[in-house]
Amino acid sequence: MSRYRSASGQLQPEKIVRDVAILAAVVLLIWTFWPFRQVPTGSRGVRTQFGAIKGIESEGLVFVPPWQNVNLFSVRAEAAHIDKATGSTSDTQPVDTDLTVRYSILPDRVSEVYEKYSHNGDLSSYVQTATQEVFKAVTARYNAPDLISKRAQVSNDILEQLRHKLDKYGAQVINIDMRTFAFSESYMKAINDKVTQEQLRLAAENKVRTVEAEQKQKVAVAEAEANALKAQADGEAYATVKAAEAQAEALRVQNEALARSKEVLELRRIEVERTKAERWNGQLPTNIYAGTPIPFFDPQRGN
């Protein structure tokens, strides 16, 4: 404390104030002209000198001379919301939708974008305008039904054209989210009516197919039963024919055998007479009429 006291030992406040002022000035100068800057992740540092771009710094700690400045520029993904993008189909049906476009600035074109379009990487106004134009151009190539049924293709066409259009602004399109297409109330009513009619038509066709299937099934069952009866009748007729043929064949063989052998006939006659004799009770008939056979009497044989 001797620095701030006189030779007589008295405190000298003016010296204290002077040193405090000097220290504050030094701190202020260091704070003002601190030569280090930090570029956070997802950003680039645009180094400028008196307004002119002198370079682009990557993420991390950067040394900056007092006569230069570093402006932070975002290269992270940004989102631009386009509400009620409007267009017209090839069959003159008005249509609109809501889109969200996600994009980012190409790192190697930061200097160009900073100089021409944006000092912080926000190109939402450019993206909205470009998206409106692309949506009109794409929807004009489709009629209303195709716009609904080919939604994935329509979305891809918008994405490709938007990428080409935003490339001149130094931006790359990451993806787009497109909500449901909205048509006029009258057209939507017509679509709903058409869907209802189509459902009724399909229901009627299904009913007709069901009836036809039932009728075919009945016809098949009837044909199967008729075929079964026919097969049974054919079988019975075949069996009858075969039995008759067998019986006729047996009679033929028997007749041939009888014709070939008279001894067989005589043997048969004897067998018949023997059977008669065995059955005769020994009594002669009381009344004999003309032509009545007498047992064991053969007029031709004389006994």
Side-chain angles (χ1 to χ4, degrees):
M1 295 292 293
S2 59
R3 173 182 175 83
Y4 301 106
R5 292 185 183 273
S6 62
S8 61
Q10 292 181 347
L11 187 63
Q12 297 178 324
E14 65 276 7
K15 290 185 177 181
I16 297 176
V17 173
R18 183 194 60 191
D19 289 348
V20 170
I22 293 173
L23 180 60
V26 170
V27 170
L28 181 60
L29 288 173
I30 293 174
W31 179 266
T32 303
F33 298 104
W34 180 253
F36 296 101
R37 299 287 187 274
Q38 182 181 2
V39 179
T41 302
S43 298
R44 293 293 185 270
V46 181
R47 184 193 295 270
T48 61
Q49 180 176 324
F50 307 116
I53 298 175
K54 294 300 181 182
I56 305 297
E57 302 293 342
S58 298
E59 303 157 345
L61 194 63
V62 180
F63 175 79
V64 183
W67 56 88
Q68 291 185 350
N69 191 21
V70 171
N71 299 285
L72 296 182
F73 187 98
S74 175
V75 291
R76 298 172 64 88
E78 302 290 343
H81 302 285
I82 299 91
D83 297 328
K84 299 297 181 183
T86 59
S88 180
T89 62
S90 60
D91 51 353
T92 67
Q93 287 295 333
V95 59
D96 61 73
T97 188
D98 298 330
L99 299 101
T100 297
V101 180
R102 289 177 175 82
Y103 68 96
S104 63
I105 305 302
L106 294 167
D108 59 347
R109 298 181 64 180
V110 169
S111 177
E112 175 187 351
V113 176
Y114 183 88
E115 182 179 3
K116 294 181 179 180
Y117 308 114
S118 172
H119 282 183
N120 58 6
D122 182 10
L123 295 178
S124 58
S125 61
Y126 296 94
V127 174
Q128 291 173 355
T129 301
T131 304
Q132 288 277 8
E133 293 178 1
V134 169
F135 183 75
K136 291 179 183 295
V138 171
T139 54
R141 302 207 310 259
Y142 293 87
N143 58 37
D146 286 346
L147 203 63
I148 298 174
S149 62
K150 299 179 180 180
R151 179 176 173 178
Q153 182 177 338
V154 173
S155 178
N156 186 67
D157 289 348
I158 293 174
L159 178 61
E160 292 302 320
Q161 290 199 27
L162 194 58
R163 281 176 174 169
H164 178 73
K165 196 169 188 65
L166 292 182
D167 181 68
K168 70 178 182 179
Y169 297 111
Q172 60 179 351
V173 179
I174 300 171
N175 74 295
I176 62 171
D177 295 326
M178 182 172 57
R179 265 77 77 187
T180 304
F181 293 113
F183 295 92
S184 64
E185 184 177 350
S186 59
Y187 184 74
M188 294 303 298
K189 184 178 182 302
I191 291 178
N192 292 333
D193 292 343
K194 182 178 180 180
V195 171
T196 301
Q197 293 299 324
E198 182 66 14
Q199 291 175 345
L200 293 174
R201 184 185 66 81
L202 292 176
E205 289 181 354
N206 289 334
K207 187 174 181 179
V208 170
R209 282 195 290 268
T210 301
V211 173
E212 289 178 349
E214 292 176 352
Q215 293 300 323
K216 288 181 180 179
Q217 184 177 5
K218 291 180 180 180
V219 170
V221 171
E223 289 179 350
E225 292 177 351
N227 291 334
L229 292 175
K230 182 177 181 298
Q232 182 179 357
D234 290 345
E236 292 176 354
Y238 182 77
T240 301
V241 170
K242 288 299 181 182
E245 289 178 352
Q247 186 175 4
E249 182 64 19
L251 291 174
R252 186 185 65 78
V253 172
Q254 185 176 6
N255 291 333
E256 288 180 355
L258 290 175
R260 287 196 301 267
S261 178
K262 294 183 177 181
E263 289 77 4
V264 174
L265 293 174
E266 182 63 21
L267 180 60
R268 289 290 179 89
R269 189 189 67 77
I270 294 173
E271 289 178 353
V272 171
E273 294 297 334
R274 180 182 297 174
T275 300
K276 292 179 179 180
E278 290 176 352
R279 295 179 179 177
W280 187 47
N281 56 9
Q283 295 181 357
L284 294 173
T286 305
N287 299 317
I288 299 176
Y289 302 98
T292 301
I294 300 175
F296 312 112
F297 177 77
D298 187 355
Q300 296 181 357
R301 296 174 59 91
N303 54 15

